[in-house]
Amino acid sequence: MNRLNLPPYEIKTRQQDGRQYILDVLRRKFIALTPEEWVRQHFIHFLADHKGYPTALLANEVELTIGGKKLRCDSVLYSRNLKPRMIIEYKAPSIAISQKTFNQIFAYNTLLHADYLVVSNGISHYCCKIDYTNRSYSFLSDIPRYEDL
């Protein structure tokens, strides 16, 4: 797998039926190791281990229904009263972050109304804070620590 612009962590993988799997600490099970899953697991560990995000408030593969179509948010951070605070969208390292990626996460946010939107391909990371009062958003220079949300 590709080297990422994220801190390393103790990765747990296993082989089964000729395929490689990686442990998803949030879902507590081994998931097929794809380039996007490689980014997701590194990013979740980065948030928990380096930014202080409680894993109990993070969820992977959150299902949404938009106009009768079922979609999945890659990861969602919830507040302690279970309001979505942050939506995170991952791409494989080989996929450039584009306007299409931001359109995708903004579509998810029409349902969830989160305060922060994050997009990462493991190499580049973007975080924007939504200002619902002024109907605007601003990009942050870094992913905020949990205590600063």
Side-chain angles (χ1 to χ4, degrees):
M1 284 288 151
N2 293 9
R3 185 172 168 86
L4 304 177
N5 184 18
L6 290 163
Y9 75 98
E10 190 177 322
I11 301 164
K12 293 187 171 103
T13 61
R14 74 174 185 203
Q15 290 278 128
Q16 183 177 338
D17 300 326
R19 294 191 66 198
Q20 194 163 13
Y21 293 82
I22 189 167
L23 179 64
D24 181 331
V25 295
L26 301 183
R27 291 180 274 185
R28 295 183 177 103
K29 65 181 183 178
F30 282 87
I31 304 297
L33 180 54
T34 63
E36 184 177 309
E37 195 62 44
W38 182 251
V39 173
R40 181 196 331 260
Q41 294 309 314
H42 275 79
F43 206 88
I44 290 297
H45 282 272
F46 164 68
L47 292 176
D49 300 343
H50 298 273
K51 296 290 184 172
Y53 287 57
T55 57
L57 298 178
L58 285 161
N60 285 337
E61 296 289 326
V62 176
E63 192 172 286
L64 301 174
T65 303
I66 298 176
K69 186 177 178 182
K70 289 194 184 289
L71 304 170
R72 289 186 191 269
C73 287
D74 288 337
S75 297
V76 176
L77 170 72
Y78 294 93
S79 67
R80 298 213 181 270
N81 61 358
L82 301 182
K83 177 194 177 298
R85 294 290 318 276
M86 179 183 283
I87 304 170
I88 309 163
E89 179 63 26
Y90 309 105
K91 297 297 179 194
S94 61
I95 297 177
I97 304 298
S98 67
Q99 185 61 49
K100 183 178 176 183
T101 310
F102 285 101
N103 293 347
Q104 180 182 3
I105 200 168
F106 275 105
Y108 297 158
N109 203 38
T110 60
L111 288 178
L112 296 180
H113 306 285
D115 299 319
Y116 296 87
L117 304 179
V118 175
V119 175
S120 177
N121 65 2
I123 308 300
S124 300
H125 323 293
Y126 299 93
C127 179
C128 61
K129 182 170 180 13
I130 308 298
D131 180 347
Y132 290 100
T133 303
N134 294 311
R135 302 175 112 182
S136 65
Y137 61 90
S138 58
F139 281 91
L140 306 179
S141 60
D142 195 11
I143 308 298
R145 291 189 53 75
Y146 179 75
E147 64 197 24
D148 297 330
L149 296 179

PDB file of all heavy atoms in Angstrom, residues 56-88:
ATOM      1  N   ALA A  56     -15.513   6.403  20.383  1.00  0.00           N
ATOM      2  CA  ALA A  56     -16.918   6.086  20.665  1.00  0.00           C
ATOM      3  C   ALA A  56     -17.871   7.037  19.936  1.00  0.00           C
ATOM      4  O   ALA A  56     -19.050   6.720  19.757  1.00  0.00           O
ATOM      5  CB  ALA A  56     -17.178   6.150  22.167  1.00  0.00           C
ATOM      6  N   LEU A  57     -17.369   8.192  19.496  1.00  0.00           N
ATOM      7  CA  LEU A  57     -18.213   9.168  18.799  1.00  0.00           C
ATOM      8  C   LEU A  57     -18.001   9.162  17.293  1.00  0.00           C
ATOM      9  O   LEU A  57     -18.587   9.968  16.572  1.00  0.00           O
ATOM     10  CB  LEU A  57     -17.962  10.579  19.361  1.00  0.00           C
ATOM     11  CG  LEU A  57     -18.296  10.771  20.835  1.00  0.00           C
ATOM     12  CD1 LEU A  57     -17.960  12.186  21.276  1.00  0.00           C
ATOM     13  CD2 LEU A  57     -19.760  10.442  21.109  1.00  0.00           C
ATOM     14  N   LEU A  58     -17.158   8.260  16.805  1.00  0.00           N
ATOM     15  CA  LEU A  58     -16.902   8.126  15.372  1.00  0.00           C
ATOM     16  C   LEU A  58     -17.594   6.888  14.826  1.00  0.00           C
ATOM     17  O   LEU A  58     -17.663   5.861  15.505  1.00  0.00           O
ATOM     18  CB  LEU A  58     -15.396   8.008  15.120  1.00  0.00           C
ATOM     19  CG  LEU A  58     -14.575   9.282  15.239  1.00  0.00           C
ATOM     20  CD1 LEU A  58     -13.096   8.954  15.427  1.00  0.00           C
ATOM     21  CD2 LEU A  58     -14.775  10.155  14.014  1.00  0.00           C
ATOM     22  N   ALA A  59     -18.098   6.978  13.601  1.00  0.00           N
ATOM     23  CA  ALA A  59     -18.724   5.827  12.943  1.00  0.00           C
ATOM     24  C   ALA A  59     -18.273   5.780  11.491  1.00  0.00           C
ATOM     25  O   ALA A  59     -18.121   6.822  10.842  1.00  0.00           O
ATOM     26  CB  ALA A  59     -20.244   5.940  13.016  1.00  0.00           C
ATOM     27  N   ASN A  60     -18.057   4.579  10.979  1.00  0.00           N
ATOM     28  CA  ASN A  60     -17.686   4.372   9.580  1.00  0.00           C
ATOM     29  C   ASN A  60     -18.878   3.839   8.804  1.00  0.00           C
ATOM     30  O   ASN A  60     -19.712   3.108   9.338  1.00  0.00           O
ATOM     31  CB  ASN A  60     -16.525   3.379   9.472  1.00  0.00           C
ATOM     32  CG  ASN A  60     -15.204   3.992   9.864  1.00  0.00           C
ATOM     33  OD1 ASN A  60     -15.027   5.207   9.821  1.00  0.00           O
ATOM     34  ND2 ASN A  60     -14.254   3.151  10.248  1.00  0.00           N
ATOM     35  N   GLU A  61     -18.932   4.206   7.511  1.00  0.00           N
ATOM     36  CA  GLU A  61     -19.963   3.708   6.596  1.00  0.00           C
ATOM     37  C   GLU A  61     -21.374   4.019   7.118  1.00  0.00           C
ATOM     38  O   GLU A  61     -22.191   3.113   7.297  1.00  0.00           O
ATOM     39  CB  GLU A  61     -19.783   2.211   6.346  1.00  0.00           C
ATOM     40  CG  GLU A  61     -18.498   1.852   5.639  1.00  0.00           C
ATOM     41  CD  GLU A  61     -18.465   2.269   4.183  1.00  0.00           C
ATOM     42  OE1 GLU A  61     -19.517   2.245   3.515  1.00  0.00           O
ATOM     43  OE2 GLU A  61     -17.376   2.641   3.709  1.00  0.00           O
ATOM     44  N   VAL A  62     -21.650   5.288   7.320  1.00  0.00           N
ATOM     45  CA  VAL A  62     -22.955   5.730   7.820  1.00  0.00           C
ATOM     46  C   VAL A  62     -23.917   5.852   6.636  1.00  0.00           C
ATOM     47  O   VAL A  62     -23.670   6.609   5.706  1.00  0.00           O
ATOM     48  CB  VAL A  62     -22.828   7.067   8.575  1.00  0.00           C
ATOM     49  CG1 VAL A  62     -24.188   7.584   9.002  1.00  0.00           C
ATOM     50  CG2 VAL A  62     -21.897   6.906   9.765  1.00  0.00           C
ATOM     51  N   GLU A  63     -25.006   5.099   6.682  1.00  0.00           N
ATOM     52  CA  GLU A  63     -25.949   5.066   5.568  1.00  0.00           C
ATOM     53  C   GLU A  63     -26.894   6.262   5.600  1.00  0.00           C
ATOM     54  O   GLU A  63     -27.427   6.621   6.652  1.00  0.00           O
ATOM     55  CB  GLU A  63     -26.756   3.770   5.602  1.00  0.00           C
ATOM     56  CG  GLU A  63     -27.539   3.540   4.324  1.00  0.00           C
ATOM     57  CD  GLU A  63     -28.172   2.161   4.279  1.00  0.00           C
ATOM     58  OE1 GLU A  63     -27.419   1.186   4.075  1.00  0.00           O
ATOM     59  OE2 GLU A  63     -29.396   2.081   4.446  1.00  0.00           O
ATOM     60  N   LEU A  64     -27.104   6.860   4.416  1.00  0.00           N
ATOM     61  CA  LEU A  64     -28.024   7.984   4.245  1.00  0.00           C
ATOM     62  C   LEU A  64     -28.959   7.675   3.093  1.00  0.00           C
ATOM     63  O   LEU A  64     -28.619   6.902   2.201  1.00  0.00           O
ATOM     64  CB  LEU A  64     -27.259   9.267   3.884  1.00  0.00           C
ATOM     65  CG  LEU A  64     -26.206   9.775   4.840  1.00  0.00           C
ATOM     66  CD1 LEU A  64     -25.490  10.959   4.223  1.00  0.00           C
ATOM     67  CD2 LEU A  64     -26.835  10.173   6.146  1.00  0.00           C
ATOM     68  N   THR A  65     -30.118   8.301   3.081  1.00  0.00           N
ATOM     69  CA  THR A  65     -31.029   8.195   1.952  1.00  0.00           C
ATOM     70  C   THR A  65     -31.309   9.599   1.445  1.00  0.00           C
ATOM     71  O   THR A  65     -31.805  10.448   2.179  1.00  0.00           O
ATOM     72  CB  THR A  65     -32.344   7.504   2.355  1.00  0.00           C
ATOM     73  OG1 THR A  65     -32.031   6.222   2.900  1.00  0.00           O
ATOM     74  CG2 THR A  65     -33.260   7.335   1.160  1.00  0.00           C
ATOM     75  N   ILE A  66     -30.941   9.833   0.184  1.00  0.00           N
ATOM     76  CA  ILE A  66     -31.168  11.134  -0.455  1.00  0.00           C
ATOM     77  C   ILE A  66     -32.016  10.878  -1.690  1.00  0.00           C
ATOM     78  O   ILE A  66     -31.587  10.212  -2.624  1.00  0.00           O
ATOM     79  CB  ILE A  66     -29.837  11.810  -0.846  1.00  0.00           C
ATOM     80  CG1 ILE A  66     -28.993  12.086   0.408  1.00  0.00           C
ATOM     81  CG2 ILE A  66     -30.090  13.097  -1.620  1.00  0.00           C
ATOM     82  CD1 ILE A  66     -27.618  12.653   0.128  1.00  0.00           C
ATOM     83  N   GLY A  67     -33.240  11.410  -1.676  1.00  0.00           N
ATOM     84  CA  GLY A  67     -34.133  11.244  -2.820  1.00  0.00           C
ATOM     85  C   GLY A  67     -34.373   9.801  -3.197  1.00  0.00           C
ATOM     86  O   GLY A  67     -34.398   9.453  -4.362  1.00  0.00           O
ATOM     87  N   GLY A  68     -34.523   8.933  -2.214  1.00  0.00           N
ATOM     88  CA  GLY A  68     -34.760   7.521  -2.464  1.00  0.00           C
ATOM     89  C   GLY A  68     -33.505   6.731  -2.798  1.00  0.00           C
ATOM     90  O   GLY A  68     -33.558   5.520  -2.982  1.00  0.00           O
ATOM     91  N   LYS A  69     -32.378   7.405  -2.880  1.00  0.00           N
ATOM     92  CA  LYS A  69     -31.102   6.749  -3.182  1.00  0.00           C
ATOM     93  C   LYS A  69     -30.310   6.551  -1.903  1.00  0.00           C
ATOM     94  O   LYS A  69     -30.158   7.471  -1.106  1.00  0.00           O
ATOM     95  CB  LYS A  69     -30.320   7.628  -4.156  1.00  0.00           C
ATOM     96  CG  LYS A  69     -29.052   7.010  -4.660  1.00  0.00           C
ATOM     97  CD  LYS A  69     -28.383   7.931  -5.676  1.00  0.00           C
ATOM     98  CE  LYS A  69     -27.087   7.334  -6.146  1.00  0.00           C
ATOM     99  NZ  LYS A  69     -26.398   8.218  -7.091  1.00  0.00           N
ATOM    100  N   LYS A  70     -29.821   5.332  -1.688  1.00  0.00           N
ATOM    101  CA  LYS A  70     -29.030   5.034  -0.499  1.00  0.00           C
ATOM    102  C   LYS A  70     -27.561   5.343  -0.777  1.00  0.00           C
ATOM    103  O   LYS A  70     -27.010   4.907  -1.783  1.00  0.00           O
ATOM    104  CB  LYS A  70     -29.190   3.581  -0.087  1.00  0.00           C
ATOM    105  CG  LYS A  70     -30.560   3.286   0.486  1.00  0.00           C
ATOM    106  CD  LYS A  70     -30.580   1.949   1.182  1.00  0.00           C
ATOM    107  CE  LYS A  70     -31.955   1.604   1.678  1.00  0.00           C
ATOM    108  NZ  LYS A  70     -32.405   2.384   2.782  1.00  0.00           N
ATOM    109  N   LEU A  71     -26.964   6.122   0.117  1.00  0.00           N
ATOM    110  CA  LEU A  71     -25.553   6.501   0.031  1.00  0.00           C
ATOM    111  C   LEU A  71     -24.880   6.185   1.355  1.00  0.00           C
ATOM    112  O   LEU A  71     -25.551   5.945   2.354  1.00  0.00           O
ATOM    113  CB  LEU A  71     -25.426   8.000  -0.269  1.00  0.00           C
ATOM    114  CG  LEU A  71     -26.131   8.517  -1.516  1.00  0.00           C
ATOM    115  CD1 LEU A  71     -26.118  10.028  -1.545  1.00  0.00           C
ATOM    116  CD2 LEU A  71     -25.468   7.956  -2.759  1.00  0.00           C
ATOM    117  N   ARG A  72     -23.555   6.227   1.368  1.00  0.00           N
ATOM    118  CA  ARG A  72     -22.813   5.977   2.607  1.00  0.00           C
ATOM    119  C   ARG A  72     -21.761   7.053   2.808  1.00  0.00           C
ATOM    120  O   ARG A  72     -20.923   7.260   1.941  1.00  0.00           O
ATOM    121  CB  ARG A  72     -22.116   4.615   2.560  1.00  0.00           C
ATOM    122  CG  ARG A  72     -23.065   3.454   2.650  1.00  0.00           C
ATOM    123  CD  ARG A  72     -22.269   2.150   2.744  1.00  0.00           C
ATOM    124  NE  ARG A  72     -23.128   1.010   2.566  1.00  0.00           N
ATOM    125  CZ  ARG A  72     -23.739   0.371   3.546  1.00  0.00           C
ATOM    126  NH1 ARG A  72     -23.588   0.766   4.784  1.00  0.00           N
ATOM    127  NH2 ARG A  72     -24.496  -0.669   3.303  1.00  0.00           N
ATOM    128  N   CYS A  73     -21.831   7.705   3.963  1.00  0.00           N
ATOM    129  CA  CYS A  73     -20.752   8.605   4.377  1.00  0.00           C
ATOM    130  C   CYS A  73     -19.609   7.724   4.838  1.00  0.00           C
ATOM    131  O   CYS A  73     -19.817   6.768   5.573  1.00  0.00           O
ATOM    132  CB  CYS A  73     -21.178   9.465   5.562  1.00  0.00           C
ATOM    133  SG  CYS A  73     -22.335  10.744   5.176  1.00  0.00           S
ATOM    134  N   ASP A  74     -18.395   8.076   4.461  1.00  0.00           N
ATOM    135  CA  ASP A  74     -17.252   7.254   4.858  1.00  0.00           C
ATOM    136  C   ASP A  74     -17.085   7.238   6.373  1.00  0.00           C
ATOM    137  O   ASP A  74     -16.959   6.181   6.970  1.00  0.00           O
ATOM    138  CB  ASP A  74     -15.978   7.737   4.170  1.00  0.00           C
ATOM    139  CG  ASP A  74     -15.973   7.394   2.691  1.00  0.00           C
ATOM    140  OD1 ASP A  74     -16.675   6.448   2.288  1.00  0.00           O
ATOM    141  OD2 ASP A  74     -15.264   8.075   1.941  1.00  0.00           O
ATOM    142  N   SER A  75     -17.066   8.413   7.009  1.00  0.00           N
ATOM    143  CA  SER A  75     -16.989   8.485   8.475  1.00  0.00           C
ATOM    144  C   SER A  75     -17.759   9.710   8.948  1.00  0.00           C
ATOM    145  O   SER A  75     -17.826  10.717   8.243  1.00  0.00           O
ATOM    146  CB  SER A  75     -15.536   8.603   8.970  1.00  0.00           C
ATOM    147  OG  SER A  75     -14.782   7.475   8.634  1.00  0.00           O
ATOM    148  N   VAL A  76     -18.314   9.593  10.147  1.00  0.00           N
ATOM    149  CA  VAL A  76     -19.026  10.714  10.775  1.00  0.00           C
ATOM    150  C   VAL A  76     -18.587  10.795  12.228  1.00  0.00           C
ATOM    151  O   VAL A  76     -18.508   9.768  12.918  1.00  0.00           O
ATOM    152  CB  VAL A  76     -20.567  10.541  10.694  1.00  0.00           C
ATOM    153  CG1 VAL A  76     -21.294  11.659  11.437  1.00  0.00           C
ATOM    154  CG2 VAL A  76     -21.039  10.471   9.241  1.00  0.00           C
ATOM    155  N   LEU A  77     -18.303  12.008  12.669  1.00  0.00           N
ATOM    156  CA  LEU A  77     -18.054  12.280  14.085  1.00  0.00           C
ATOM    157  C   LEU A  77     -19.328  12.869  14.652  1.00  0.00           C
ATOM    158  O   LEU A  77     -19.896  13.798  14.075  1.00  0.00           O
ATOM    159  CB  LEU A  77     -16.907  13.284  14.253  1.00  0.00           C
ATOM    160  CG  LEU A  77     -16.726  13.825  15.674  1.00  0.00           C
ATOM    161  CD1 LEU A  77     -16.148  12.757  16.597  1.00  0.00           C
ATOM    162  CD2 LEU A  77     -15.874  15.084  15.676  1.00  0.00           C
ATOM    163  N   TYR A  78     -19.770  12.332  15.777  1.00  0.00           N
ATOM    164  CA  TYR A  78     -20.976  12.816  16.445  1.00  0.00           C
ATOM    165  C   TYR A  78     -20.610  13.575  17.712  1.00  0.00           C
ATOM    166  O   TYR A  78     -19.566  13.329  18.319  1.00  0.00           O
ATOM    167  CB  TYR A  78     -21.890  11.640  16.821  1.00  0.00           C
ATOM    168  CG  TYR A  78     -22.453  10.925  15.613  1.00  0.00           C
ATOM    169  CD1 TYR A  78     -21.818   9.809  15.072  1.00  0.00           C
ATOM    170  CD2 TYR A  78     -23.624  11.372  15.013  1.00  0.00           C
ATOM    171  CE1 TYR A  78     -22.327   9.157  13.966  1.00  0.00           C
ATOM    172  CE2 TYR A  78     -24.139  10.724  13.895  1.00  0.00           C
ATOM    173  CZ  TYR A  78     -23.489   9.621  13.388  1.00  0.00           C
ATOM    174  OH  TYR A  78     -23.997   8.979  12.281  1.00  0.00           O
ATOM    175  N   SER A  79     -21.510  14.470  18.131  1.00  0.00           N
ATOM    176  CA  SER A  79     -21.358  15.119  19.433  1.00  0.00           C
ATOM    177  C   SER A  79     -21.829  14.125  20.494  1.00  0.00           C
ATOM    178  O   SER A  79     -22.377  13.067  20.174  1.00  0.00           O
ATOM    179  CB  SER A  79     -22.199  16.394  19.488  1.00  0.00           C
ATOM    180  OG  SER A  79     -23.579  16.064  19.450  1.00  0.00           O
ATOM    181  N   ARG A  80     -21.663  14.492  21.735  1.00  0.00           N
ATOM    182  CA  ARG A  80     -22.085  13.590  22.823  1.00  0.00           C
ATOM    183  C   ARG A  80     -23.605  13.382  22.849  1.00  0.00           C
ATOM    184  O   ARG A  80     -24.077  12.390  23.377  1.00  0.00           O
ATOM    185  CB  ARG A  80     -21.581  14.109  24.164  1.00  0.00           C
ATOM    186  CG  ARG A  80     -20.052  14.143  24.180  1.00  0.00           C
ATOM    187  CD  ARG A  80     -19.468  13.857  25.526  1.00  0.00           C
ATOM    188  NE  ARG A  80     -18.017  13.937  25.480  1.00  0.00           N
ATOM    189  CZ  ARG A  80     -17.205  12.940  25.208  1.00  0.00           C
ATOM    190  NH1 ARG A  80     -17.689  11.757  24.966  1.00  0.00           N
ATOM    191  NH2 ARG A  80     -15.900  13.114  25.179  1.00  0.00           N
ATOM    192  N   ASN A  81     -24.358  14.314  22.239  1.00  0.00           N
ATOM    193  CA  ASN A  81     -25.812  14.110  22.148  1.00  0.00           C
ATOM    194  C   ASN A  81     -26.214  13.586  20.758  1.00  0.00           C
ATOM    195  O   ASN A  81     -27.356  13.717  20.340  1.00  0.00           O
ATOM    196  CB  ASN A  81     -26.574  15.379  22.512  1.00  0.00           C
ATOM    197  CG  ASN A  81     -26.271  16.537  21.593  1.00  0.00           C
ATOM    198  OD1 ASN A  81     -25.452  16.416  20.685  1.00  0.00           O
ATOM    199  ND2 ASN A  81     -26.918  17.654  21.815  1.00  0.00           N
ATOM    200  N   LEU A  82     -25.219  12.991  20.057  1.00  0.00           N
ATOM    201  CA  LEU A  82     -25.401  12.273  18.789  1.00  0.00           C
ATOM    202  C   LEU A  82     -25.815  13.154  17.607  1.00  0.00           C
ATOM    203  O   LEU A  82     -26.422  12.690  16.655  1.00  0.00           O
ATOM    204  CB  LEU A  82     -26.357  11.097  18.959  1.00  0.00           C
ATOM    205  CG  LEU A  82     -25.905  10.063  19.985  1.00  0.00           C
ATOM    206  CD1 LEU A  82     -26.874   8.904  20.048  1.00  0.00           C
ATOM    207  CD2 LEU A  82     -24.493   9.559  19.677  1.00  0.00           C
ATOM    208  N   LYS A  83     -25.464  14.437  17.645  1.00  0.00           N
ATOM    209  CA  LYS A  83     -25.630  15.315  16.490  1.00  0.00           C
ATOM    210  C   LYS A  83     -24.370  15.200  15.631  1.00  0.00           C
ATOM    211  O   LYS A  83     -23.266  15.253  16.147  1.00  0.00           O
ATOM    212  CB  LYS A  83     -25.809  16.768  16.947  1.00  0.00           C
ATOM    213  CG  LYS A  83     -25.926  17.745  15.793  1.00  0.00           C
ATOM    214  CD  LYS A  83     -25.768  19.187  16.265  1.00  0.00           C
ATOM    215  CE  LYS A  83     -25.804  20.167  15.127  1.00  0.00           C
ATOM    216  NZ  LYS A  83     -24.760  20.049  14.134  1.00  0.00           N
ATOM    217  N   PRO A  84     -24.511  15.026  14.316  1.00  0.00           N
ATOM    218  CA  PRO A  84     -23.318  14.965  13.463  1.00  0.00           C
ATOM    219  C   PRO A  84     -22.510  16.258  13.555  1.00  0.00           C
ATOM    220  O   PRO A  84     -23.065  17.347  13.388  1.00  0.00           O
ATOM    221  CB  PRO A  84     -23.890  14.775  12.058  1.00  0.00           C
ATOM    222  CG  PRO A  84     -25.245  14.202  12.280  1.00  0.00           C
ATOM    223  CD  PRO A  84     -25.741  14.809  13.557  1.00  0.00           C
ATOM    224  N   ARG A  85     -21.228  16.141  13.861  1.00  0.00           N
ATOM    225  CA  ARG A  85     -20.343  17.314  13.958  1.00  0.00           C
ATOM    226  C   ARG A  85     -19.416  17.419  12.763  1.00  0.00           C
ATOM    227  O   ARG A  85     -19.043  18.509  12.352  1.00  0.00           O
ATOM    228  CB  ARG A  85     -19.466  17.224  15.216  1.00  0.00           C
ATOM    229  CG  ARG A  85     -20.155  17.303  16.534  1.00  0.00           C
ATOM    230  CD  ARG A  85     -20.723  18.671  16.882  1.00  0.00           C
ATOM    231  NE  ARG A  85     -19.926  19.841  16.596  1.00  0.00           N
ATOM    232  CZ  ARG A  85     -18.968  20.364  17.360  1.00  0.00           C
ATOM    233  NH1 ARG A  85     -18.651  19.788  18.487  1.00  0.00           N
ATOM    234  NH2 ARG A  85     -18.332  21.458  16.994  1.00  0.00           N
ATOM    235  N   MET A  86     -19.003  16.257  12.229  1.00  0.00           N
ATOM    236  CA  MET A  86     -18.025  16.258  11.138  1.00  0.00           C
ATOM    237  C   MET A  86     -18.312  15.082  10.216  1.00  0.00           C
ATOM    238  O   MET A  86     -18.591  13.979  10.681  1.00  0.00           O
ATOM    239  CB  MET A  86     -16.605  16.124  11.715  1.00  0.00           C
ATOM    240  CG  MET A  86     -15.488  16.089  10.707  1.00  0.00           C
ATOM    241  SD  MET A  86     -13.870  15.843  11.518  1.00  0.00           S
ATOM    242  CE  MET A  86     -13.577  17.489  12.170  1.00  0.00           C
ATOM    243  N   ILE A  87     -18.245  15.348   8.914  1.00  0.00           N
ATOM    244  CA  ILE A  87     -18.342  14.292   7.908  1.00  0.00           C
ATOM    245  C   ILE A  87     -16.967  14.188   7.258  1.00  0.00           C
ATOM    246  O   ILE A  87     -16.352  15.206   6.933  1.00  0.00           O
ATOM    247  CB  ILE A  87     -19.395  14.612   6.830  1.00  0.00           C
ATOM    248  CG1 ILE A  87     -20.764  14.862   7.455  1.00  0.00           C
ATOM    249  CG2 ILE A  87     -19.462  13.486   5.797  1.00  0.00           C
ATOM    250  CD1 ILE A  87     -21.791  15.415   6.475  1.00  0.00           C
ATOM    251  N   ILE A  88     -16.500  12.956   7.073  1.00  0.00           N
ATOM    252  CA  ILE A  88     -15.186  12.745   6.474  1.00  0.00           C
ATOM    253  C   ILE A  88     -15.355  11.850   5.248  1.00  0.00           C
ATOM    254  O   ILE A  88     -15.980  10.792   5.328  1.00  0.00           O
ATOM    255  CB  ILE A  88     -14.210  12.099   7.471  1.00  0.00           C
ATOM    256  CG1 ILE A  88     -14.213  12.876   8.791  1.00  0.00           C
ATOM    257  CG2 ILE A  88     -12.805  12.043   6.869  1.00  0.00           C
ATOM    258  CD1 ILE A  88     -13.615  12.129   9.951  1.00  0.00           C
TER     259      ILE A  88
END
